[in-house]
Each structure stands twice: as structure tokens, then as C-alpha cells.
Amino acid sequence: MADQPALLEELHRLRARVPQLTGALAASVDGLVLAHDTPGVEPEGLAALTAAALGVAIRTTDATGRGELRELLLRGHLGYVATYAAGAHAVLTLLAQDRVNVGRLHLEGRRAGARIGELVDTAAPAPARPAVRPAPRTRTARTSASPAAGPTTTTTTPRSTTPRTTTES
């Protein structure tokens, strides 16, 4: 997919620029390890978990109208896990100590993600154009509950029909 030595070199340079990093992983969006520098952490497991978290994060940004996912930050009491978009085919996941400067983590993570994205995207084959246009997307039902009136569900159907509102008791 991409030049693994070049990806590994980028991960090493990133860890040198941010001393509080304890690990760095470049993975495909479907959870395959491309390159890693993750002492003490199983890279295949981290790549799989990153892909799972990425799926949830993408759905969340889409459902909330926040646009295309750029990054995901998790914080535990012992440190951070930060995942950055790296082009169209890869992600960069960084592990950092709790005392890391989060602004610096984001700055360096975004820059390294862009460079890794360039390396991976230029090596990846261009996706085939679909023969048929995908069906238009529809919005999912939204539910809001009022303690006095009970739950109300609004279902939105395609634009050619009128939306229906139902109230459940």
C-alpha cells in the first residue's frame, strides 16, 4: 500500500518532536497496520480498535452535522489516545502521557497525519467509479421525550411525501 520504511521514519520523527508520546501507529481505515512504533502495545489490536472507534466517530460527526471527521481524542487517567485522519485511506493513532501538551500533540499529529496521508494516498490505487449513482440519503428518525406529554417520534420520509408525526403513549 505505502512505503513502510518512509511511514516508520515519519513515526520516529514524530516521537522525537513530542517526547511525551509513548507510541505511534499508522493504520488503514479498515484496521490493518501500515507501520508502528508502539512499545508495549500490540499494534494489530490497536489498529482494530482504532478502526472501530473511527467508525463510531464518523457516524457521530455525520449525525450531528459536524462534517468530515478530522480527529478523535480520548483521555484516560494515565494519558491520551489521539487519532487523526491521514488522507483518504489511513489514520494516525498516537499514545501520549497525561502530561503532554495537548496543543502540541494536535499540531504535530495533524502535520504527521497529512504527511502520512500523502504517502499512503499516492501509493493506493484510485477507487473505481461506481456504475450506478448511490441512492439519496434519508435522515433517521429523531425522538424527543417530554415528561408530561410522553415520547414523540418524528419520522421523515423522502421529499416526495409529507413527513408524519406520531405520538406514543
Side-chain angles (χ1 to χ4, degrees):
M1 181 171 219
D3 183 16
Q4 205 241 2
L7 291 174
L8 193 55
E9 179 60 31
E10 183 61 39
L11 297 181
H12 290 309
R13 283 195 306 264
L14 176 61
R15 288 201 56 201
R17 287 191 308 270
V18 184
Q20 295 81 19
L21 285 184
T22 59
L25 169 93
S28 66
V29 293
D30 56 354
L32 299 175
V33 176
L34 301 175
H36 69 91
D37 183 7
T38 55
V41 177
E42 179 192 346
E44 290 80 13
L46 180 58
L49 287 170
T50 296
L54 185 66
V56 172
I58 288 171
R59 289 187 67 191
T60 302
T61 56
D62 186 45
T64 58
R66 298 299 180 244
E68 189 174 311
L69 178 74
R70 291 189 180 174
E71 57 201 38
L72 174 66
L73 181 66
L74 304 171
R75 182 178 183 205
H77 75 278
L78 297 177
Y80 294 88
V81 178
T83 299
Y84 301 91
H89 301 91
V91 293
L92 170 65
T93 296
L94 303 177
L95 308 176
Q97 298 170 355
D98 189 47
R99 61 187 177 91
V100 72
N101 178 319
V102 177
R104 178 75 186 265
L105 177 69
H106 284 322
L107 176 70
E108 296 295 345
R110 291 169 186 155
R111 286 179 179 169
R115 285 190 292 273
I116 289 169
E118 290 171 4
L119 290 169
V120 173
D121 288 349
T122 57
R129 297 186 81 194
V132 180
R133 281 186 75 183
R137 295 183 60 191
T138 58
R139 295 194 178 264
T140 57
R142 292 183 186 216
T143 304
S144 62
S146 169
T152 302
T153 304
T154 303
T155 305
T156 305
T157 56
R159 294 178 191 239
S160 61
T161 60
T162 307
R164 295 180 296 154
T165 303
T166 59
T167 304
E168 300 173 7
S169 304

